[in-house]
Amino acid sequence: MPKITECDRCLLFAHNPHLVCAVHPEGPKGNSCLDFRADPNTEPIELWEPEGASYYDGKLILQPQQRFTTEEKLELLDTHPLFTGVCPECGYRFPKDNLPAVHWDCPECGWVDDSV
Ligand SMILES: [Zn+2]
């Protein structure tokens, strides 16, 4: 009982495992259907994804909250001593031969690295 991809978006689609639709109980012949009527209430599946969600197997899955937006990440790249080697507060230069492994707390001004 084949249905085609259009069926999911069709007003006539029966949403019934034993019946494709009232016009073509066995499913339309071929890859397109002359009786296809777009259901205005159905979102086109492959075109649109809300922010923070993606389609997997045709189902909309919410992504876990990203800790940083892209903008914040870019700012982090610009200012974080991990990337600049310099304290964003006072400009203290972290010694290159003794770099902190995780937290880049500044010994000069007390700036605390809370990004990790
Ligand atoms: Zn500092």
Side-chain angles (χ1 to χ4, degrees):
M1 187 172 307
K3 72 179 174 74
I4 60 176
T5 49
E6 277 179 341
C7 290
D8 288 323
R9 295 183 286 115
C10 180
L11 277 174
L12 299 172
F13 184 48
H15 295 281
N16 180 326
H18 306 293
L19 178 76
V20 175
C21 83
V23 181
H24 305 276
E26 306 279 312
K29 295 189 171 52
N31 291 322
S32 65
C33 181
L34 289 175
D35 298 301
F36 172 72
R37 276 166 226 179
D39 185 344
N41 296 320
T42 309
E43 297 282 351
I45 287 182
E46 60 279 5
L47 294 182
W48 178 80
E49 288 182 355
E51 200 169 328
S54 299
Y55 280 104
Y56 292 107
D57 284 336
K59 290 196 187 75
L60 190 64
I61 308 288
L62 278 179
Q63 301 290 344
Q65 276 294 314
Q66 297 282 329
R67 176 132 186 223
F68 298 109
T69 66
T70 308
E71 217 163 274
E72 284 167 339
K73 272 186 204 147
L74 285 177
E75 191 182 324
L76 209 59
L77 279 174
D78 279 345
T79 60
H80 196 278
L82 177 63
F83 307 105
T84 63
V86 177
C87 169
E89 267 312 303
C90 69
Y92 168 78
R93 290 194 170 275
F94 288 86
K96 284 204 165 46
D97 53 353
N98 187 23
L99 296 177
V102 181
H103 288 107
W104 292 67
D105 300 341
C106 176
E108 284 293 309
C109 71
W111 178 78
V112 176
D113 172 18
D114 59 1
S115 68
V116 187

